[in-house]
Amino acid sequence: MTRQLQRVLFLFLLTASTLAQGGEAARIIRDTQLKAEPFSDAATLQELKGNTQVTKESRKGGWYQIKVGDKAGWVRMSVLRLGTEQAQGSSGLGSTLQFLQTGRSGASDVTVATGLRGLDAADLTNATPDHKALEKFKQHKISPKAAKKFASTAKLKAHKMAYVKIEQHQPESSQESDGGGVEEFFGE
């Protein structure tokens, strides 16, 4: 085995053992509140100052569960920077570990992106329908005649498009069809 391969293997094992020990070192990047639950309106457990060192435990939606001292709670993803000050240096073992954990290198690590991918089971379980919003949305429905008039006024061209087959059962009211399996679509 070459020395370089041995070093990479060593760093991999070191990183894996660090991650297996539990929480990940992180710091708060601006003043925020430690919440009892991952919701904006949850009870505030503590005010946290920017640059406070914490331990990230888990993630739920756009929130991280953290430990600070003997308290555990939740903060928004956007206020937490993973890693420690030492790990953000531009040389040495700290920057190598940072690269292996985050895929980023260097001290400038300025790109922050907060993205949510879909809903988790808890979001679906705790969801409540907003019937008023649905009724308001239904008020925007227009007739096919009105849609064709608008398309004509906007000088849009009609294109025939085949229906997309949907495998799931749909209520009778949403299965309206002209029988031909093709619907007009107005676009350029």
Side-chain angles (χ1 to χ4, degrees), residues 44-56:
T44 299
L45 301 175
Q46 180 180 343
E47 296 288 329
L48 298 174
K49 294 288 184 190
N51 218 24
T52 301
Q53 297 295 319
V54 298
T55 303
K56 179 194 74 104

Side-chain angles (χ1 to χ4, degrees), residues 27-96:
R27 68 182 170 89
I28 301 298
I29 58 173
R30 64 178 173 272
D31 293 356
T32 191
Q33 297 175 336
L34 182 66
K35 297 289 190 174
E37 297 178 67
F39 307 105
S40 298
D41 58 351
T44 299
L45 301 175
Q46 180 180 343
E47 296 288 329
L48 298 174
K49 294 288 184 190
N51 218 24
T52 301
Q53 297 295 319
V54 298
T55 303
K56 179 194 74 104
E57 295 296 319
S58 63
R59 177 179 166 209
K60 184 175 184 180
W63 295 80
Y64 279 128
Q65 184 178 35
I66 64 165
K67 281 188 180 177
V68 55
D70 60 348
K71 287 191 179 178
W74 297 86
V75 294
R76 290 188 181 276
M77 289 175 64
S78 59
V79 301
L80 198 68
R81 170 79 45 95
L82 301 179
T84 62
E85 290 296 321
Q86 297 159 344
Q88 293 177 1
S90 60
S91 64
L93 181 60
S95 64
T96 305

Side-chain angles (χ1 to χ4, degrees), residues 60-186:
K60 184 175 184 180
W63 295 80
Y64 279 128
Q65 184 178 35
I66 64 165
K67 281 188 180 177
V68 55
D70 60 348
K71 287 191 179 178
W74 297 86
V75 294
R76 290 188 181 276
M77 289 175 64
S78 59
V79 301
L80 198 68
R81 170 79 45 95
L82 301 179
T84 62
E85 290 296 321
Q86 297 159 344
Q88 293 177 1
S90 60
S91 64
L93 181 60
S95 64
T96 305
L97 286 174
Q98 177 191 5
F99 176 74
L100 290 173
Q101 291 175 344
T102 66
R104 296 174 187 241
S105 62
S108 63
D109 193 17
V110 294
T111 303
V112 176
T114 302
L116 304 177
R117 294 188 175 142
L119 303 171
D120 63 16
D123 292 331
L124 296 175
T125 302
N126 298 328
T128 56
D130 187 345
H131 297 290
K132 289 180 183 177
L134 179 60
E135 290 306 314
K136 188 175 180 181
F137 178 74
K138 286 180 180 179
Q139 293 174 0
H140 296 288
K141 181 179 178 180
I142 62 169
S143 69
K145 184 177 179 180
K148 286 182 181 183
K149 182 177 178 183
F150 171 80
S152 174
T153 303
K155 299 184 186 200
L156 300 174
K157 297 177 188 174
H159 298 278
K160 296 283 184 178
M161 296 183 68
Y163 286 122
V164 175
K165 184 175 180 180
I166 298 176
E167 299 293 327
Q168 299 174 355
H169 172 72
Q170 294 182 356
E172 292 296 321
S173 63
S174 65
Q175 292 181 350
E176 296 174 10
S177 170
D178 64 0
V182 176
E183 186 172 1
E184 286 187 71
F185 169 75
F186 295 93

